[in-house]
Amino acid sequence: MDYEENDELPQGEQVGEYSPGRLLDTLAAKLNARNDAALARAIEVAPAIVSKIRHGRLPVGASILLRMHEASGIGIRELRDLMGDRRGRHRMSPTEFRPRQAQPSPQAHQARQSEGPANEG
């Protein structure tokens, strides 16, 4: 479903404005869900999750987007457009997903200290 500028918008909303409610309403219509509880069942999440998303207390994360996509067949890009997410890419921090440098554990350090100098002879 393409969201056109001439489609009716809820009071005070503009196309391009972040609106998870618009996403949930479109998804509910596509899935014939009469209310948020039915929508939650359709996308297999707790009703509280849908409520928190609708009221802006929880961002729509990747796992929720995937559930919405699988239940409705609407593409991820279109789901993101419906809620007003216009970012081309999600950026990760430079340190994210990099292996940690090996550092000796405190136990290994203590064990080396307790061994003391090796006995000669």
Side-chain angles (χ1 to χ4, degrees), residues 3-5 7-26 54 81-84:
Y3 203 83
E4 304 279 330
E5 283 193 44
D7 286 349
E8 234 177 271
L9 291 172
Q11 186 80 13
E13 287 187 17
Q14 301 286 326
V15 171
E17 215 176 272
Y18 180 72
S19 173
R22 183 172 52 233
L23 168 65
L24 295 175
D25 292 342
T26 302
R54 183 171 297 281
D81 285 345
L82 283 168
M83 74 174 152

Side-chain angles (χ1 to χ4, degrees), residues 61-118:
S63 62
I64 299 293
L65 279 174
L66 285 172
R67 287 175 184 269
M68 291 174 172
H69 164 69
E70 289 170 350
S72 68
I74 298 173
I76 300 292
R77 176 76 256 166
E78 190 171 352
L79 290 170
R80 289 176 57 205
D81 285 345
L82 283 168
M83 74 174 152
D85 184 355
R86 300 288 192 259
R87 295 174 291 181
R89 301 178 64 171
H90 291 282
R91 299 183 192 275
M92 290 184 262
S93 73
T95 58
E96 202 167 5
F97 300 115
R98 288 193 180 177
R100 292 184 180 164
Q101 297 211 355
Q103 295 178 350
S105 67
Q107 292 84 9
H109 180 69
Q110 289 172 352
R112 281 194 302 265
Q113 284 182 342
S114 65
E115 287 176 5

